[in-house]
Amino acid sequence: MKTVLPAVLLTLAALTTTLAAPSAQAGADGASRIENVTLGVIDLTPGDGSGASYTLNYGDSRLLAYSNTLNNGGSYTQLSVYPAPFSAGQAVLPASAGPGTAVAGTTGAVGNVTATAAADMSLGVGNYVGAEGYQQVGLTLAPHTLLTVGGDLLTQARRTMAAGENYAVFSWASIDITDAEGTTSTTLNRESALRWDDPYSTEAARQERFLLAFANPGDYDLFLTLSFLAYTDITVNPVDALGGGVAPVPEPHTWATLLAGLLLTGTLARRRQRPF
């Protein structure tokens, strides 16, 4: 009996874990992050006696977590957090917003932004949840200097495909270097997307080390804006009689593209108003 009882208990425990696992794992989640960012310079004219350099002028962050449950008779909830310059911060979707989680954060370091979200079918058809971490850095680049911006990024989208489930998941990371007039820019965009009309994909991910460069070949200081964006969004879509999905709302990447345009417009407007 002493030998059988532990075995029975272990079997029951394993069975309980197996039965509980599908509900615990069901749903969708997305993540996007930019981290380990380093700024460097290269002297374009090493023989002129003037060294290459840059000066940080300001750093602003905006963290956003949001949820829409209007199609369930709920509401739209949005939490925005604006940390002090180069300070850590976090925006966490409150539990009162309903099903789903969303978190945006930054450590305060240059370029460090993250966004994560998770949901299951309890969020409700036609509803969505997401997060956005955004940081803008202004700097002055010395004459005859090449600025380098390097770091690590990740975009990830995952979902389960159980009967009656249909999720669209979109994660996006972007880095942008723009001059004060907005006439010249260097941009990197990466995305991981699980579309509503692709019934077979359960995971998409990109992880890489990036390196961007922006040159000031002139004889005068150049004012630049660096923008870092991490974004992720999950939408619950209806399931038709054949098990496929139909899109009740625009694709997340449509919103993300629009968001990028608005952010760039706001960046340029703010940049023109900010004295150096």
Side-chain angles (χ1 to χ4, degrees):
M1 183 64 179
K2 290 182 180 180
T3 303
V4 175
L5 183 57
V8 172
L9 292 177
L10 288 174
T11 301
L12 290 175
L15 180 60
T16 301
T17 302
T18 301
L19 293 175
S23 60
Q25 297 175 359
D29 62 85
S32 178
R33 67 173 180 260
I34 302 170
E35 59 188 355
N36 302 323
V37 173
T38 57
L39 306 182
V41 293
I42 297 175
D43 195 341
L44 298 176
T45 55
D48 66 354
S50 299
S53 65
Y54 68 87
T55 303
L56 290 179
N57 300 321
Y58 69 88
D60 294 329
S61 298
R62 182 187 68 181
L63 309 174
L64 174 68
Y66 60 87
S67 173
N68 174 71
T69 57
L70 289 170
N71 288 306
N72 279 7
S75 61
Y76 179 79
T77 301
Q78 176 178 305
L79 176 65
S80 300
V81 174
Y82 299 87
F86 302 112
S87 297
Q90 194 174 64
V92 182
L93 189 70
S96 58
T101 61
V103 180
T106 179
T107 65
V110 171
N112 182 281
V113 286
T114 63
T116 61
D120 57 26
M121 291 300 292
S122 63
L123 181 63
V125 170
N127 295 327
Y128 54 88
V129 61
E132 170 202 311
Y134 175 72
Q135 186 188 80
Q136 182 185 98
V137 176
L139 59 80
T140 303
L141 190 62
H144 310 147
T145 297
L146 178 73
L147 175 73
T148 60
V149 181
D152 298 307
L153 67 79
L154 167 74
T155 59
Q156 185 178 60
R158 301 184 299 186
R159 65 184 174 188
T160 55
M161 305 296 290
E165 293 182 347
N166 188 33
Y167 309 94
V169 188
F170 181 79
S171 294
W172 189 36
S174 69
I175 303 96
D176 181 79
I177 312 171
T178 308
D179 63 14
E181 289 72 33
T183 56
T184 306
S185 66
T186 300
T187 303
L188 175 68
N189 295 314
R190 293 291 184 261
E191 67 176 60
S192 295
L194 299 175
R195 292 171 49 87
W196 62 270
D197 57 356
D198 180 1
Y200 303 108
S201 298
T202 59
E203 183 169 2
R206 296 189 65 129
Q207 185 170 10
E208 65 183 80
R209 178 76 179 172
F210 66 86
L211 180 64
L212 302 179
F214 197 104
N216 178 14
D219 297 326
Y220 302 95
D221 287 345
L222 184 65
F223 303 114
L224 300 180
T225 297
L226 279 60
S227 300
F228 304 89
L229 174 65
Y231 169 85
T232 191
D233 180 276
I234 299 171
T235 302
V236 177
N237 295 307
V239 179
D240 62 26
L242 298 178
V246 285
V249 295
E251 282 293 295
H253 70 265
T254 302
W255 292 114
T257 302
L258 175 61
L259 174 65
L262 293 174
L263 287 173
L264 180 57
T265 301
T267 295
L268 297 178
R270 179 172 187 171
R271 181 64 189 80
R272 292 190 180 100
Q273 295 172 0
R274 181 182 294 273
F276 282 94

